[in-house]
């Protein structure tokens, strides 16, 4: 058989799997189960394709180009709605929120994100040391050297912008340009603009109540429309997960992964430990961690598959409000800020692991208290502005290693296994974002514990 015929057969199989998932929906099978089943089917189908046709074969490449119509198309739909969702959600939440509590809410959310990122850095560094990971003897091949050269250029670009300038750039010169999603600070810029508009609306309630009321009604209507769009898109999640997972598994270079398998294992051990810490934190504040896992499973599995914290934002906010009992203000703000601040996996664990691996090669004791304290502080602060898309951890690592005075060449070497590790990192990022929403809502007495503790999971 020629390649075209094989591709047609593969596409037919994918269509049959999608039809099977569709039939399960008609039979009333829960959304979470369908998402998990799609994940498993994607792994099996992807592995079968690679075993049959071989990694990097033309058949797999052409088949994935068709699967991308579903997988990448779904992610693009989610990313299409992210900026409108952030803008209307933040604006609506603030105009409906007691303005006296706004600063307290934002402070708590940011504090939780940064504290959990600092804990993640300690976990990442400790795990790297426990596994005796080191950069000594790791020699980058031609492909990795080329990748490193590109990363060095990105580092030089970063170093040309001091932290003061990066903070100032959060204020958008053209808010409509920020709404196109361009630039690493786009999300924070949209949040900033939404806050300014909301505060201005609150400010004219007394002097021009009619104008304020008209704008608030417009925002509420826009919010209802955007949330309906979110619901429509989220219903496609099982099919998107199936296609995305099939592509990841079928196109992964397992020979490259085998070279650095110890780092992969250590990374997932660190990610698992930090996720358990999330659950312990929930227990400390009187919340059932099993309930959290059960109700958040579909969201976390999509984050794992898509490798995009920003792409997972609509599911994140929806789950916080409808299943975890978080107030809309806390859910919207924690979800939005969590795509760019305090990402536990990408900006916490990963950079710290690399720093501990590299330190001995340059004559530094990675377990020295001074080194660990500096690493923890720098990692937490460097987590500001990390883009919530696949590859954000690379930039976070460049930032931390540069600030610590360590060489960045190892970042390029690890490019080969980035996608595999990035799945787990993104899951932890999203969990940290939801944790911030749940805790801040509880601290301010706005968490609906009846919804959180209920046994039902509200379907999309």
């Amino acid at each position: 058989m020629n390649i075209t015929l094989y591709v047609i057969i593969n596409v037919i199989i994918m269509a049959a799997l999608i039809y099977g998932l569709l039939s399960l929906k008609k039979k009333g099978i829960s959304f979470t189960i369908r998402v998990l089943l799609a994940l498993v089917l994607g792994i099996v189908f992807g592995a079968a394709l690679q075993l049959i046709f071989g990694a990097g074969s033309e058949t797999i490449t052409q088949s994935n180009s068709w699967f991308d119509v579903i997988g990448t198309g779904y992610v693009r739909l989610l990313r299409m709605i992210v900026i409108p969702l952030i803008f209307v959600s933040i604006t609506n939440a603030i105009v409906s929120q007691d303005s006296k509590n706004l600063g307290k809410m934002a402070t708590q959310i940011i504090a939780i994100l940064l504290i959990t990122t600092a804990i993640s850095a300690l976990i990442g560094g400790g795990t790297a040391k426990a596994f005796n990971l080191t950069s000594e003897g790791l020699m980058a091949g031609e492909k990795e050297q080329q990748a490193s050269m590109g990363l060095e250029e990105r580092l030089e670009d970063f170093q040309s912008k001091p932290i003061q300038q990066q903070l100032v750039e959060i204020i958008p010169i053209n808010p409509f340009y920020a709404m196109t999603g361009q630039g690493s600070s786009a999300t924070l810029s949209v949040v900033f603009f939404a806050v300014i508009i909301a505060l201005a609306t609150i400010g004219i309630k007394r002097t021009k109540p009619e104008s304020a009321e008209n704008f608030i009604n417009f925002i509420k209507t826009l919010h209802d429309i955007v949330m309906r769009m979110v619901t429509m898109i989220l219903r496609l999640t099982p099919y998107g997960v199936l296609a995305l997972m099939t592509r990841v598994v079928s196109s992964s270079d397992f020979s490259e992964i085998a070279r650095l398998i110890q780092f992969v294992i250590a990374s997932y051990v660190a990610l698992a430990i930090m996720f358990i810490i999330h659950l312990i934190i929930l227990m400390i504040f009187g919340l059932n961690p099993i309930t959290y896992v059960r109700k958040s499973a579909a969201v976390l599995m999509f984050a794992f598959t898509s490798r995009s914290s920003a792409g997972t934002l609509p599911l994140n906010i929806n789950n916080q409000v409808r299943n975890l009992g978080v107030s809309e203000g806390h859910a919207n703000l924690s979800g939005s800020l969590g795509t760019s601040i305090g990402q536990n996996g990408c900006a916490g664990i990963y950079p710290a692991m690399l720093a501990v691996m590299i330190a001995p090669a340059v004559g530094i004791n990675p377990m020295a208290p001074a080194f660990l304290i500096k690493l923890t502080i720098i990692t937490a602060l460097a987590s500001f502005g990390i883009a919530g898309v696949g590859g954000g951890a690379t930039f976070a690592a460049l930032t931390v290693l540069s600030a610590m005075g360590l060489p960045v060449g190892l970042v390029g070497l690890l490019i080969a296994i980035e996608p595999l590790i990035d799945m787990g990192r993104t899951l932890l990022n999203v969990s940290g974002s939801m944790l911030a929403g749940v805790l801040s809502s509880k601290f301010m007495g706005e968490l609906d514990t009846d919804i959180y503790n209920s046994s039902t999971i509200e379907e999309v």
Side-chain angles (χ1 to χ4, degrees):
M1 280 192 268
N2 58 33
I3 292 176
T4 302
L5 186 56
Y6 282 131
V7 171
I8 292 173
I9 292 173
N10 292 338
V11 171
I12 291 174
I13 294 173
M14 174 62 73
L17 293 174
I18 291 174
Y19 179 79
L21 291 171
L22 200 58
S23 65
L24 291 178
K25 179 183 179 181
K26 294 178 180 178
K27 292 179 180 179
I29 302 300
S30 74
F31 179 77
T32 302
I33 291 177
R34 284 184 284 121
V35 171
L36 293 174
L37 181 59
L39 182 72
V40 173
L41 289 174
I43 293 173
V44 173
F45 187 32
L49 289 176
Q50 184 161 158
L51 288 173
I52 294 171
F53 300 107
S57 69
E58 185 64 24
T59 299
I60 288 180
T61 300
Q62 290 190 26
S63 297
N64 280 333
S65 69
W66 285 103
F67 301 160
D68 277 348
V69 174
I70 302 168
T72 304
Y74 175 66
V75 173
R76 288 176 68 92
L77 282 172
L78 284 171
R79 297 190 67 181
M80 174 190 76
I81 203 67
V82 164
I83 295 297
L85 176 63
I86 290 173
F87 178 75
V88 300
S89 296
I90 294 295
T91 306
N92 182 64
I94 293 175
V95 297
S96 305
Q97 181 87 18
D98 184 349
S99 59
K100 295 180 181 179
N101 293 330
L102 179 61
K104 184 179 179 181
M105 177 176 68
T107 301
Q108 287 185 354
I109 289 171
I110 292 174
I112 293 168
L113 289 170
L114 294 184
I115 290 170
T116 52
T117 300
I119 296 172
S120 297
L122 291 174
I123 296 298
T127 304
K129 183 63 178 177
F131 275 77
N132 292 319
L133 298 180
T134 176
S135 63
E136 295 177 355
L138 288 176
M139 300 299 293
E142 182 179 350
K143 179 176 68 175
E144 290 83 4
Q145 287 175 353
Q146 291 173 353
S148 294
M149 289 172 62
L151 295 175
E152 292 283 5
E153 291 173 0
R154 292 181 66 194
L155 180 58
E156 289 175 5
D157 179 63
F158 169 76
Q159 289 174 326
S160 67
K161 294 182 179 181
I163 187 67
Q164 299 94 325
Q165 182 180 345
Q166 294 181 62
L167 291 174
V168 169
E169 287 181 354
I170 292 175
I171 304 173
I173 296 175
N174 183 348
F176 300 102
Y177 177 75
M179 287 183 182
T180 65
Q182 301 300 313
S184 60
S185 298
T187 302
L188 292 179
S189 295
V190 172
V191 171
F192 182 88
F193 183 59
V195 169
I196 293 297
I197 284 186
L199 292 178
T201 304
I202 293 172
I204 65 170
K205 276 187 176 180
R206 290 184 180 179
T207 57
K208 297 182 179 180
E210 186 177 343
S211 296
E213 190 62 29
N214 288 337
F215 183 74
I216 290 172
N217 289 334
F218 169 73
I219 287 295
K220 289 184 180 297
T221 300
L222 196 59
H223 180 263
D224 291 340
I225 293 172
V226 170
M227 291 310 296
R228 178 57 185 169
M229 292 171 63
V230 168
T231 300
M232 292 167 58
I233 294 170
L234 295 190
R235 287 174 177 168
L236 302 174
T237 300
Y239 323 115
V241 167
L242 171 65
L244 287 168
M245 206 65 215
T246 299
R247 177 182 178 84
V248 168
V249 176
S250 65
S251 60
S252 294
D253 190 337
F254 293 113
S255 63
E256 291 290 334
I257 293 171
R259 293 172 53 208
L260 299 166
I261 191 66
Q262 189 177 12
F263 182 80
V264 175
I265 294 173
S267 295
Y268 272 92
V269 168
L271 293 168
I273 292 172
M274 190 58 207
F275 184 70
I276 292 172
I277 290 176
H278 285 180
L279 303 183
I280 292 173
I281 291 172
L282 289 171
M283 287 181 62
I284 291 173
F285 292 101
L287 297 170
N288 190 327
I290 296 176
T291 300
Y292 171 81
V293 173
R294 183 172 59 85
K295 291 190 169 186
S296 303
V299 180
L300 297 176
M301 286 303 99
F302 177 76
F304 182 85
T305 307
S306 68
R307 298 172 51 212
S308 174
S309 299
T312 311
L313 180 60
L315 292 86
N316 181 340
I317 294 175
N318 179 76
N319 187 63
Q320 286 193 57
V321 174
R322 298 174 70 174
N323 292 316
L324 298 178
V326 178
S327 68
E328 285 200 12
H330 289 266
N332 290 321
L333 197 56
S334 66
S336 300
L337 292 178
T339 63
S340 295
I341 296 175
Q343 295 191 338
N344 290 186
C346 289
I349 285 177
Y350 184 66
M353 289 186 71
L354 297 191
V356 170
M357 288 176 65
I358 295 170
V362 294
I364 298 174
N365 177 11
M367 292 295 103
F371 178 85
L372 290 176
I373 292 172
K374 182 181 178 182
L375 176 63
T376 302
I377 294 173
I378 288 176
T379 301
L381 295 178
S383 70
F384 276 84
I386 298 302
V389 296
T394 298
F395 191 58
L398 291 172
T399 304
V400 171
L401 294 178
S402 174
M404 295 290 292
L406 299 172
V408 300
L410 184 61
V411 180
L413 177 62
L414 297 176
I415 288 292
I417 57 173
E418 268 287 295
L420 183 62
I421 304 175
D422 203 34
M423 293 189 293
R425 290 188 311 225
T426 306
L427 183 152
L428 189 65
N429 293 342
V430 173
S431 178
S433 171
M434 290 194 291
L435 178 69
V438 171
L439 291 183
S440 63
S441 194
K442 181 174 176 59
F443 293 160
M444 296 181 65
E446 298 181 22
L447 181 70
D448 191 328
T449 53
D450 290 335
I451 293 178
Y452 185 95
N453 294 321
S454 69
S455 58
T456 58
I457 300 178
E458 191 170 340
E459 298 289 339
V460 175

